[in-house]
Amino acid sequence: MPSIPHPFRVYAPPIKANESVGSDAERAFSQMDSLYRRLVQYLPEAVYCCDPDGRITLFNRAALRLWGRLPAVGVERWCGSHRLFTPQGDPIAPEDCAMAKTLKSGSDLGSQEVVIERPDGSRRFVLVHPQIVRDGGVVLGAVNVIIDITERKNAENLLREADRRKDEFLAMLAHELRNPLAPVRAAAEVLKRINIADAKATQAVGVIERQVTQLARLIDDLLDVARMGQGQVSLRKSQVPLSEVLSNATDVVMPEVQRRAQTLEVTAPHADVMLLCDLARVAQMIGNLLHNATKYTHTGGHIALTASVFEHRLRICVADDGQGIEPDMLDSVFDLFSRAATGAGADGLGIGLSVVKAMAQLHHGTITAHSAGLGQGSEFVLELPVLAPAAIDIDCPPPVSHGPGRTQRILLVDDNVDSVAALQILLELDGHTVQVAHDGFSALETAGRFSADAFVIDIGLPGMDGYELARSLRRRPASASATIVAMSGWGAPDDVQRAMQAGFDRHLSKPADFAQLIAALQGRYAR
């Protein structure tokens, strides 16, 4: 290995005039020089240096292993033994590499992530950190320390891929679970409408309805977890009165509260408060908190929902006298799949509260948990911004109203035979005339002779999918102005947007509530 050039020069005390060449000072310098070269040589990270013109003057064993080739010292410049790329794969010209820019600017530019391609074609992800070496004000060259981060990057990529596969699995699982729930919910609604006299049968129908609702909530939470992981959760904000939000949230939880003989006390401001929010998401947040409270509160327990406003902030407090939370678990109660969120011996996936936290952050709000300990009850506080009085007249689309319901001629299109059969019975009990098709091509054939007022179409049809079917129906004069509703197990924002672009008037996720379906068929939703 050559003697250390200027960038690595080691300075010793100046030699006095009467000292000979073999003096102690010269020996000390030689020892320090040897020690320094050995230190650099055996560093675990790659190190090399260049002269002011960028020619490589020194490198260590780690640099040689990283480059994969021995460079010509004093001849090759910048990075002559390898090619460089950005992390995105774009090539970096030698004169644009970090070492060249550092020497040209005469200043340290900080760390930079690059990709090195070695002579054998393999690539390594590295962090480079070139620094100028000066003697007084004179630039002697630069030294570059290179940290190989390939293994870390590979691990990160594996984690990202695993996370992507997890999100895809959750979305597929939710879709597959939605499809069988749709006919179960429709069948339960049919049983309710035929006035069963047997009290036990009526009780069984109630059980089916409650459990389908609970499963639908769990599926929604699973989907939200997948969407949050993919950054696909978006809000549809509008001007919403607090009373409507609270009504939507409490209506969903009341059957469970009544079944457990619990008391739900709601306190709200006398003057209605206006929110600029996603109604469904805020109702979901409060609903999740209420479901959490009723789940961990004993039979006959008490739950209090209190809403108040202070300095344009809405404060929703959900308190109960139930199981409580251990103090050391309060910080993790909102973590995904948290043991604190599920509680000892309790059911549930531990995702409801994590969804609340994520949705609160999207609304520029906060959520906190409080408890004096096990058996002392819990309190969850959700804070959201409210509209200032001067901001109430924002431009929001008015609700669409088309008067009372009317009987219609409806064509149902779904390849799930059970689902479409149950829904047909339910719609016919409601007075509608219904035809059925199980694929897109037969649906077009039926539409040609049926003159339907409305269509309910599944997206995942064999042959021609629901999107193409909707576009075909819109191109036909007889069905161009008909109401077309998508009812699908796929309910992500992208699925909804794609349905709207294909010509659907409304997208409902399975298992859709029958009242929602009727409202959509009657056009009581703005497109």
Side-chain angles (χ1 to χ4, degrees):
M1 187 169 179
S3 61
I4 298 177
H6 286 312
F8 275 123
R9 184 168 56 189
V10 178
Y11 293 92
I15 300 174
K16 296 179 181 179
N18 60 351
E19 287 183 326
S20 65
V21 174
S23 68
D24 291 342
E26 188 174 70
R27 283 195 299 273
F29 180 87
S30 176
Q31 291 172 353
M32 291 175 66
D33 178 58
S34 175
L35 178 64
Y36 194 71
R37 283 190 287 116
R38 291 179 63 187
L39 174 65
V40 173
Q41 192 60 244
Y42 290 102
L43 280 174
E45 305 298 345
V47 178
Y48 77 98
C49 62
C50 292
D51 64 17
D53 294 324
R55 290 184 291 267
I56 297 174
T57 56
L58 180 143
F59 58 89
N60 65 358
R61 287 187 175 91
L64 181 61
R65 289 193 300 269
L66 181 65
W67 292 337
R69 183 176 70 84
L70 182 68
V73 175
V75 178
E76 295 189 42
R77 302 176 70 221
W78 317 123
C79 49
S81 60
H82 52 271
R83 294 198 301 163
L84 298 178
F85 298 85
T86 67
Q88 293 75 34
D90 300 320
I92 300 174
E95 60 272 17
D96 292 328
C97 73
M99 176 65 91
K101 288 184 175 181
T102 297
L103 285 170
K104 289 176 183 177
S105 66
S107 59
D108 300 333
L109 303 179
S111 297
Q112 180 181 339
E113 185 177 322
V114 298
V115 178
I116 288 178
E117 182 178 86
R118 300 189 287 192
D120 63 0
S122 62
R123 294 188 178 188
R124 308 293 292 179
F125 286 87
V126 299
L127 279 177
V128 298
H129 193 103
Q131 290 184 299
I132 291 293
V133 177
R134 289 184 174 86
D135 183 3
V138 179
V139 174
L140 302 178
V143 59
N144 196 356
V145 178
I146 311 174
I147 301 174
D148 190 339
I149 59 172
T150 305
E151 301 308 319
R152 190 192 81 188
K153 296 291 289 188
N154 289 341
E156 290 175 354
N157 290 336
L158 287 174
L159 285 174
R160 276 194 293 269
E161 177 63 17
D163 199 50
R164 183 187 66 80
R165 289 179 178 273
K166 178 259 302 179
D167 293 337
E168 289 180 352
F169 169 76
L170 289 177
M172 179 62 72
L173 176 64
H175 171 262
E176 292 302 318
L177 290 175
R178 283 185 184 280
N179 280 327
L181 281 181
V184 173
R185 171 171 274 178
E189 188 70 26
V190 168
L191 292 175
K192 281 176 59 179
R193 288 170 177 261
I194 61 177
N195 297 320
I196 300 175
D198 191 319
K200 291 184 178 180
T202 302
Q203 183 181 11
V205 171
V207 170
I208 293 171
E209 284 191 312
R210 286 193 300 272
Q211 296 308 312
V212 167
T213 300
Q214 175 67 5
L215 281 171
R217 284 188 62 253
L218 290 174
I219 291 170
D220 287 339
D221 285 345
L222 280 173
L223 277 174
D224 283 334
V225 168
R227 292 167 188 164
M228 287 185 293
Q230 297 170 348
Q232 293 181 347
V233 175
S234 59
L235 302 180
R236 299 178 183 178
K237 290 186 176 182
S238 61
Q239 181 180 319
V240 178
L242 173 61
S243 58
E244 185 176 354
V245 174
L246 296 181
S247 176
N248 285 12
T250 55
D251 283 351
V252 174
V253 79
M254 278 309 298
E256 189 65 15
V257 170
Q258 293 168 353
R259 189 179 73 83
R260 293 173 179 257
Q262 295 168 341
T263 303
L264 174 58
E265 180 183 353
V266 179
T267 304
H270 294 296
D272 212 349
V273 177
M274 301 304 296
L275 306 174
L276 182 59
C277 69
D278 186 318
L279 170 60
R281 292 303 191 182
V282 176
Q284 177 188 8
M285 283 191 283
I286 299 173
N288 278 8
L289 294 178
L290 289 173
H291 275 286
N292 197 67
T294 189
K295 183 193 303 184
Y296 300 119
T297 300
H298 55 81
T299 299
H302 181 263
I303 302 168
L305 189 161
T306 305
S308 58
V309 177
F310 178 74
E311 293 183 350
H312 304 307
R313 298 284 290 181
L314 170 66
R315 189 175 189 268
I316 298 286
C317 176
V318 176
D320 63 67
D321 56 3
Q323 177 177 310
I325 305 170
E326 297 178 37
D328 59 346
M329 301 297 288
L330 284 172
D331 292 338
S332 61
V333 73
F334 297 103
D335 293 345
L336 187 61
F337 307 122
S338 167
R339 184 175 69 86
T342 58
D347 57 355
L349 298 176
I351 59 180
L353 290 179
S354 66
V355 170
V356 173
K357 181 179 179 180
M359 296 302 172
Q361 291 172 340
L362 286 175
H363 279 87
H364 306 290
T366 60
I367 178 71
T368 54
H370 311 273
S371 178
L374 291 179
Q376 302 298 311
S378 305
E379 181 183 68
F380 289 84
V381 179
L382 172 66
E383 290 194 4
L384 299 171
V386 301
L387 284 176
I392 289 181
D393 294 328
I394 61 173
D395 184 19
C396 292
V400 176
S401 176
H402 290 274
R406 62 188 186 279
T407 59
Q408 294 177 293
R409 296 170 61 82
I410 302 170
L411 177 57
L412 303 179
V413 189
D414 197 327
D415 60 331
N416 187 318
V417 176
D418 288 340
S419 180
V420 78
L423 189 55
Q424 180 181 10
I425 296 171
L426 193 54
L427 288 168
E428 288 176 343
L429 286 173
D430 213 44
H432 302 284
T433 302
V434 182
Q435 289 284 303
V436 170
H438 296 296
D439 61 74
F441 296 106
S442 61
L444 289 177
E445 180 183 351
T446 304
R449 52 182 168 76
F450 180 56
S451 300
D453 302 308
F455 297 82
V456 180
I457 302 174
D458 181 34
I459 297 299
L461 297 172
M464 176 190 297
D465 65 22
Y467 301 123
E468 183 56 37
L469 176 57
R471 284 189 286 265
S472 298
L473 291 171
R474 288 297 181 203
R475 288 193 292 265
R476 293 185 171 193
S479 54
S481 59
T483 299
I484 306 180
V485 177
M487 194 157 68
S488 171
W490 298 106
D494 286 347
D495 300 320
V496 176
Q497 181 180 7
R498 189 177 175 188
M500 298 300 103
Q501 293 171 345
F504 285 97
D505 293 288
R506 178 74 175 169
H507 182 288
L508 299 177
S509 296
K510 293 180 179 179
D513 181 77
F514 186 66
Q516 283 184 313
L517 175 60
I518 292 300
L521 291 172
Q522 299 290 349
R524 292 199 291 272
Y525 291 93
R527 182 175 175 181

PDB file of all heavy atoms in Angstrom, residues 197-217:
ATOM      1  N   ALA A 197     -95.130 -15.682  13.704  1.00  0.00           N
ATOM      2  CA  ALA A 197     -95.839 -15.639  14.985  1.00  0.00           C
ATOM      3  C   ALA A 197     -95.021 -16.238  16.118  1.00  0.00           C
ATOM      4  O   ALA A 197     -95.199 -15.875  17.283  1.00  0.00           O
ATOM      5  CB  ALA A 197     -97.176 -16.377  14.857  1.00  0.00           C
ATOM      6  N   ASP A 198     -94.142 -17.161  15.801  1.00  0.00           N
ATOM      7  CA  ASP A 198     -93.361 -17.843  16.829  1.00  0.00           C
ATOM      8  C   ASP A 198     -92.348 -16.863  17.455  1.00  0.00           C
ATOM      9  O   ASP A 198     -91.507 -16.295  16.759  1.00  0.00           O
ATOM     10  CB  ASP A 198     -92.638 -19.029  16.196  1.00  0.00           C
ATOM     11  CG  ASP A 198     -92.026 -19.955  17.247  1.00  0.00           C
ATOM     12  OD1 ASP A 198     -91.462 -19.438  18.227  1.00  0.00           O
ATOM     13  OD2 ASP A 198     -92.120 -21.180  17.073  1.00  0.00           O
ATOM     14  N   ALA A 199     -92.419 -16.707  18.775  1.00  0.00           N
ATOM     15  CA  ALA A 199     -91.543 -15.760  19.465  1.00  0.00           C
ATOM     16  C   ALA A 199     -90.076 -16.172  19.354  1.00  0.00           C
ATOM     17  O   ALA A 199     -89.180 -15.325  19.238  1.00  0.00           O
ATOM     18  CB  ALA A 199     -91.947 -15.655  20.929  1.00  0.00           C
ATOM     19  N   LYS A 200     -89.818 -17.475  19.377  1.00  0.00           N
ATOM     20  CA  LYS A 200     -88.441 -17.947  19.272  1.00  0.00           C
ATOM     21  C   LYS A 200     -87.864 -17.653  17.891  1.00  0.00           C
ATOM     22  O   LYS A 200     -86.679 -17.317  17.751  1.00  0.00           O
ATOM     23  CB  LYS A 200     -88.377 -19.443  19.570  1.00  0.00           C
ATOM     24  CG  LYS A 200     -88.656 -19.788  21.030  1.00  0.00           C
ATOM     25  CD  LYS A 200     -88.481 -21.275  21.282  1.00  0.00           C
ATOM     26  CE  LYS A 200     -88.702 -21.606  22.760  1.00  0.00           C
ATOM     27  NZ  LYS A 200     -88.549 -23.056  23.032  1.00  0.00           N
ATOM     28  N   ALA A 201     -88.693 -17.783  16.870  1.00  0.00           N
ATOM     29  CA  ALA A 201     -88.237 -17.467  15.510  1.00  0.00           C
ATOM     30  C   ALA A 201     -87.925 -15.979  15.391  1.00  0.00           C
ATOM     31  O   ALA A 201     -86.923 -15.583  14.772  1.00  0.00           O
ATOM     32  CB  ALA A 201     -89.289 -17.879  14.491  1.00  0.00           C
ATOM     33  N   THR A 202     -88.788 -15.163  15.982  1.00  0.00           N
ATOM     34  CA  THR A 202     -88.541 -13.721  15.970  1.00  0.00           C
ATOM     35  C   THR A 202     -87.239 -13.385  16.685  1.00  0.00           C
ATOM     36  O   THR A 202     -86.457 -12.538  16.244  1.00  0.00           O
ATOM     37  CB  THR A 202     -89.712 -12.976  16.644  1.00  0.00           C
ATOM     38  OG1 THR A 202     -90.923 -13.300  15.961  1.00  0.00           O
ATOM     39  CG2 THR A 202     -89.484 -11.474  16.620  1.00  0.00           C
ATOM     40  N   GLN A 203     -86.999 -14.058  17.817  1.00  0.00           N
ATOM     41  CA  GLN A 203     -85.765 -13.850  18.556  1.00  0.00           C
ATOM     42  C   GLN A 203     -84.555 -14.279  17.719  1.00  0.00           C
ATOM     43  O   GLN A 203     -83.519 -13.604  17.711  1.00  0.00           O
ATOM     44  CB  GLN A 203     -85.808 -14.642  19.859  1.00  0.00           C
ATOM     45  CG  GLN A 203     -84.584 -14.435  20.749  1.00  0.00           C
ATOM     46  CD  GLN A 203     -84.664 -15.260  22.012  1.00  0.00           C
ATOM     47  OE1 GLN A 203     -85.523 -16.133  22.148  1.00  0.00           O
ATOM     48  NE2 GLN A 203     -83.771 -14.986  22.956  1.00  0.00           N
ATOM     49  N   ALA A 204     -84.687 -15.388  16.993  1.00  0.00           N
ATOM     50  CA  ALA A 204     -83.592 -15.877  16.153  1.00  0.00           C
ATOM     51  C   ALA A 204     -83.261 -14.884  15.043  1.00  0.00           C
ATOM     52  O   ALA A 204     -82.093 -14.656  14.715  1.00  0.00           O
ATOM     53  CB  ALA A 204     -83.952 -17.237  15.557  1.00  0.00           C
ATOM     54  N   VAL A 205     -84.315 -14.279  14.458  1.00  0.00           N
ATOM     55  CA  VAL A 205     -84.094 -13.266  13.414  1.00  0.00           C
ATOM     56  C   VAL A 205     -83.317 -12.081  13.987  1.00  0.00           C
ATOM     57  O   VAL A 205     -82.402 -11.546  13.350  1.00  0.00           O
ATOM     58  CB  VAL A 205     -85.435 -12.803  12.817  1.00  0.00           C
ATOM     59  CG1 VAL A 205     -85.226 -11.601  11.904  1.00  0.00           C
ATOM     60  CG2 VAL A 205     -86.084 -13.939  12.038  1.00  0.00           C
ATOM     61  N   GLY A 206     -83.660 -11.675  15.210  1.00  0.00           N
ATOM     62  CA  GLY A 206     -82.940 -10.581  15.852  1.00  0.00           C
ATOM     63  C   GLY A 206     -81.472 -10.905  16.066  1.00  0.00           C
ATOM     64  O   GLY A 206     -80.592 -10.052  15.863  1.00  0.00           O
ATOM     65  N   VAL A 207     -81.206 -12.147  16.444  1.00  0.00           N
ATOM     66  CA  VAL A 207     -79.815 -12.576  16.621  1.00  0.00           C
ATOM     67  C   VAL A 207     -79.066 -12.495  15.298  1.00  0.00           C
ATOM     68  O   VAL A 207     -77.934 -11.995  15.236  1.00  0.00           O
ATOM     69  CB  VAL A 207     -79.768 -14.011  17.179  1.00  0.00           C
ATOM     70  CG1 VAL A 207     -78.338 -14.546  17.141  1.00  0.00           C
ATOM     71  CG2 VAL A 207     -80.304 -14.054  18.605  1.00  0.00           C
ATOM     72  N   ILE A 208     -79.697 -12.977  14.233  1.00  0.00           N
ATOM     73  CA  ILE A 208     -79.058 -12.939  12.911  1.00  0.00           C
ATOM     74  C   ILE A 208     -78.736 -11.504  12.523  1.00  0.00           C
ATOM     75  O   ILE A 208     -77.626 -11.191  12.073  1.00  0.00           O
ATOM     76  CB  ILE A 208     -79.970 -13.594  11.852  1.00  0.00           C
ATOM     77  CG1 ILE A 208     -80.109 -15.096  12.126  1.00  0.00           C
ATOM     78  CG2 ILE A 208     -79.407 -13.360  10.448  1.00  0.00           C
ATOM     79  CD1 ILE A 208     -81.153 -15.767  11.261  1.00  0.00           C
ATOM     80  N   GLU A 209     -79.698 -10.611  12.696  1.00  0.00           N
ATOM     81  CA  GLU A 209     -79.482  -9.214  12.315  1.00  0.00           C
ATOM     82  C   GLU A 209     -78.337  -8.594  13.098  1.00  0.00           C
ATOM     83  O   GLU A 209     -77.472  -7.905  12.534  1.00  0.00           O
ATOM     84  CB  GLU A 209     -80.764  -8.401  12.539  1.00  0.00           C
ATOM     85  CG  GLU A 209     -81.833  -8.628  11.499  1.00  0.00           C
ATOM     86  CD  GLU A 209     -82.940  -7.607  11.639  1.00  0.00           C
ATOM     87  OE1 GLU A 209     -83.417  -7.384  12.762  1.00  0.00           O
ATOM     88  OE2 GLU A 209     -83.331  -7.036  10.602  1.00  0.00           O
ATOM     89  N   ARG A 210     -78.319  -8.819  14.406  1.00  0.00           N
ATOM     90  CA  ARG A 210     -77.275  -8.219  15.237  1.00  0.00           C
ATOM     91  C   ARG A 210     -75.897  -8.747  14.859  1.00  0.00           C
ATOM     92  O   ARG A 210     -74.929  -7.991  14.766  1.00  0.00           O
ATOM     93  CB  ARG A 210     -77.562  -8.491  16.717  1.00  0.00           C
ATOM     94  CG  ARG A 210     -78.698  -7.672  17.297  1.00  0.00           C
ATOM     95  CD  ARG A 210     -78.718  -7.753  18.812  1.00  0.00           C
ATOM     96  NE  ARG A 210     -78.886  -9.117  19.302  1.00  0.00           N
ATOM     97  CZ  ARG A 210     -80.065  -9.691  19.511  1.00  0.00           C
ATOM     98  NH1 ARG A 210     -81.182  -9.031  19.264  1.00  0.00           N
ATOM     99  NH2 ARG A 210     -80.144 -10.931  19.976  1.00  0.00           N
ATOM    100  N   GLN A 211     -75.807 -10.053  14.627  1.00  0.00           N
ATOM    101  CA  GLN A 211     -74.508 -10.631  14.318  1.00  0.00           C
ATOM    102  C   GLN A 211     -74.024 -10.248  12.920  1.00  0.00           C
ATOM    103  O   GLN A 211     -72.821 -10.064  12.704  1.00  0.00           O
ATOM    104  CB  GLN A 211     -74.565 -12.155  14.469  1.00  0.00           C
ATOM    105  CG  GLN A 211     -74.833 -12.617  15.892  1.00  0.00           C
ATOM    106  CD  GLN A 211     -73.881 -11.998  16.902  1.00  0.00           C
ATOM    107  OE1 GLN A 211     -72.664 -11.993  16.692  1.00  0.00           O
ATOM    108  NE2 GLN A 211     -74.421 -11.464  17.987  1.00  0.00           N
ATOM    109  N   VAL A 212     -74.941 -10.116  11.979  1.00  0.00           N
ATOM    110  CA  VAL A 212     -74.558  -9.638  10.648  1.00  0.00           C
ATOM    111  C   VAL A 212     -74.034  -8.205  10.738  1.00  0.00           C
ATOM    112  O   VAL A 212     -73.026  -7.846  10.107  1.00  0.00           O
ATOM    113  CB  VAL A 212     -75.747  -9.721   9.674  1.00  0.00           C
ATOM    114  CG1 VAL A 212     -75.456  -8.929   8.398  1.00  0.00           C
ATOM    115  CG2 VAL A 212     -76.038 -11.167   9.310  1.00  0.00           C
ATOM    116  N   THR A 213     -74.719  -7.379  11.544  1.00  0.00           N
ATOM    117  CA  THR A 213     -74.266  -6.003  11.735  1.00  0.00           C
ATOM    118  C   THR A 213     -72.878  -5.972  12.360  1.00  0.00           C
ATOM    119  O   THR A 213     -72.010  -5.191  11.948  1.00  0.00           O
ATOM    120  CB  THR A 213     -75.261  -5.229  12.618  1.00  0.00           C
ATOM    121  OG1 THR A 213     -76.537  -5.206  11.989  1.00  0.00           O
ATOM    122  CG2 THR A 213     -74.792  -3.800  12.847  1.00  0.00           C
ATOM    123  N   GLN A 214     -72.650  -6.834  13.362  1.00  0.00           N
ATOM    124  CA  GLN A 214     -71.344  -6.888  14.004  1.00  0.00           C
ATOM    125  C   GLN A 214     -70.270  -7.361  13.031  1.00  0.00           C
ATOM    126  O   GLN A 214     -69.162  -6.801  12.984  1.00  0.00           O
ATOM    127  CB  GLN A 214     -71.404  -7.821  15.224  1.00  0.00           C
ATOM    128  CG  GLN A 214     -70.065  -8.064  15.914  1.00  0.00           C
ATOM    129  CD  GLN A 214     -69.509  -6.827  16.586  1.00  0.00           C
ATOM    130  OE1 GLN A 214     -70.156  -5.788  16.618  1.00  0.00           O
ATOM    131  NE2 GLN A 214     -68.291  -6.928  17.097  1.00  0.00           N
ATOM    132  N   LEU A 215     -70.573  -8.384  12.245  1.00  0.00           N
ATOM    133  CA  LEU A 215     -69.610  -8.855  11.248  1.00  0.00           C
ATOM    134  C   LEU A 215     -69.314  -7.779  10.220  1.00  0.00           C
ATOM    135  O   LEU A 215     -68.169  -7.606   9.786  1.00  0.00           O
ATOM    136  CB  LEU A 215     -70.146 -10.114  10.563  1.00  0.00           C
ATOM    137  CG  LEU A 215     -70.008 -11.426  11.341  1.00  0.00           C
ATOM    138  CD1 LEU A 215     -70.769 -12.543  10.631  1.00  0.00           C
ATOM    139  CD2 LEU A 215     -68.536 -11.802  11.496  1.00  0.00           C
ATOM    140  N   ALA A 216     -70.346  -7.052   9.794  1.00  0.00           N
ATOM    141  CA  ALA A 216     -70.147  -5.971   8.828  1.00  0.00           C
ATOM    142  C   ALA A 216     -69.226  -4.896   9.408  1.00  0.00           C
ATOM    143  O   ALA A 216     -68.370  -4.345   8.705  1.00  0.00           O
ATOM    144  CB  ALA A 216     -71.486  -5.366   8.427  1.00  0.00           C
ATOM    145  N   ARG A 217     -69.375  -4.599  10.704  1.00  0.00           N
ATOM    146  CA  ARG A 217     -68.498  -3.614  11.346  1.00  0.00           C
ATOM    147  C   ARG A 217     -67.057  -4.110  11.364  1.00  0.00           C
ATOM    148  O   ARG A 217     -66.119  -3.343  11.094  1.00  0.00           O
ATOM    149  CB  ARG A 217     -68.955  -3.336  12.780  1.00  0.00           C
ATOM    150  CG  ARG A 217     -70.175  -2.459  12.920  1.00  0.00           C
ATOM    151  CD  ARG A 217     -70.432  -2.097  14.369  1.00  0.00           C
ATOM    152  NE  ARG A 217     -69.315  -1.337  14.892  1.00  0.00           N
ATOM    153  CZ  ARG A 217     -68.410  -1.811  15.747  1.00  0.00           C
ATOM    154  NH1 ARG A 217     -68.468  -3.064  16.161  1.00  0.00           N
ATOM    155  NH2 ARG A 217     -67.435  -1.039  16.181  1.00  0.00           N
TER     156      ARG A 217
END
